[in-house]
Amino acid sequence: MKVLIGTKNPGKIKGAKDALEGYFKSIEIEGISAPSEVSEQPINDETYLGAVNRVKNTMRYAKEHNIHADLFMAVESGLVYNFGHWFITNVSVISDKNGNFSFGTSASFPVPEKYVEDIKKKTLGTVMDTIFHENDLRSSTGGIGLLTHEKITRIDLNTQTFTMALTQFVNGKIWQDDKISTPDEHIIG
């Protein structure tokens, strides 16, 4: 199975690979740079939109470079306000070569209100590096690794979100939408 993922980030690629290996054999996964076309620190719906855009841009790249793939994947991490609280969550999007589309989310972790404005301005990684006197947490276990004392890592969250999105691909027609859609139809607003 040939898979293109809209990132060069090793942690995101590893998370996707781990999720896929739970269901498929012989996976070839290639990461490509695909712009999210949203803020550097996605907020609320930008998180979902960034993942959708990365998949669309990955599909466009494949078409332009005559690359045939079975699945196109992307993930975006963002600051989201819901239930009266701020939290960080990952959203993944998957589209297959036939146009079937799905999305998933990861476990989320709360963000103290006192850090929200700084995160909006600077990004979660930058703020956490400052608070915890670290350097480039986003390239290792991520802030979640630090916050959970390595019980859950950034790779774990990526694996979760891709596994959730795969539910519409690994259960046949019983757990798919009746109407095949494309990423363009899933843009908010």
Side-chain angles (χ1 to χ4, degrees), residues 30 82 156:
E30 180 182 350
N82 206 353
D156 296 328

Side-chain angles (χ1 to χ4, degrees), residues 29-41:
I29 188 165
E30 180 182 350
I32 62 157
S33 291
S36 67
E37 301 173 17
V38 297
S39 305
E40 187 176 354
Q41 176 57 69

Side-chain angles (χ1 to χ4, degrees), residues 29-162:
I29 188 165
E30 180 182 350
I32 62 157
S33 291
S36 67
E37 301 173 17
V38 297
S39 305
E40 187 176 354
Q41 176 57 69
I43 300 170
N44 294 319
D45 291 347
E46 281 186 316
T47 310
Y48 174 76
L49 182 59
V52 168
N53 288 344
R54 286 185 195 275
V55 164
K56 286 173 36 181
N57 288 324
T58 300
M59 294 172 85
R60 184 177 300 118
Y61 177 91
K63 185 175 182 179
E64 290 170 358
H65 292 86
N66 201 28
I67 298 172
H68 301 282
D70 299 296
L71 292 178
F72 303 89
M73 304 172 77
V75 63
E76 195 75 30
S77 178
L79 178 66
V80 177
Y81 186 80
N82 206 353
F83 314 118
H85 303 279
W86 286 99
F87 54 91
I88 298 294
T89 197
N90 289 0
V91 177
S92 66
V93 169
I94 301 174
S95 186
D96 71 10
K97 64 184 178 185
N98 300 317
N100 296 305
F101 173 92
S102 187
F103 74 97
T105 60
S106 68
S108 304
F109 61 94
V111 174
E113 187 70 40
K114 64 185 173 184
Y115 300 124
V116 169
E117 289 308 312
D118 273 351
I119 292 169
K120 286 180 181 179
K121 293 175 193 167
K122 300 177 187 174
T123 77
L124 173 68
T126 303
V127 171
M128 289 193 76
D129 281 347
T130 300
I131 294 168
F132 291 102
H133 309 288
E134 293 287 334
N135 185 24
D136 200 22
L137 272 170
R138 64 186 279 168
S139 294
S140 61
T141 62
I144 191 61
L146 186 68
L147 292 172
T148 64
H149 303 258
E150 305 300 320
K151 300 290 187 215
I152 298 173
T153 67
R154 187 172 195 216
I155 292 170
D156 296 328
L157 293 180
N158 289 320
T159 302
Q160 285 178 1
T161 187
F162 285 122

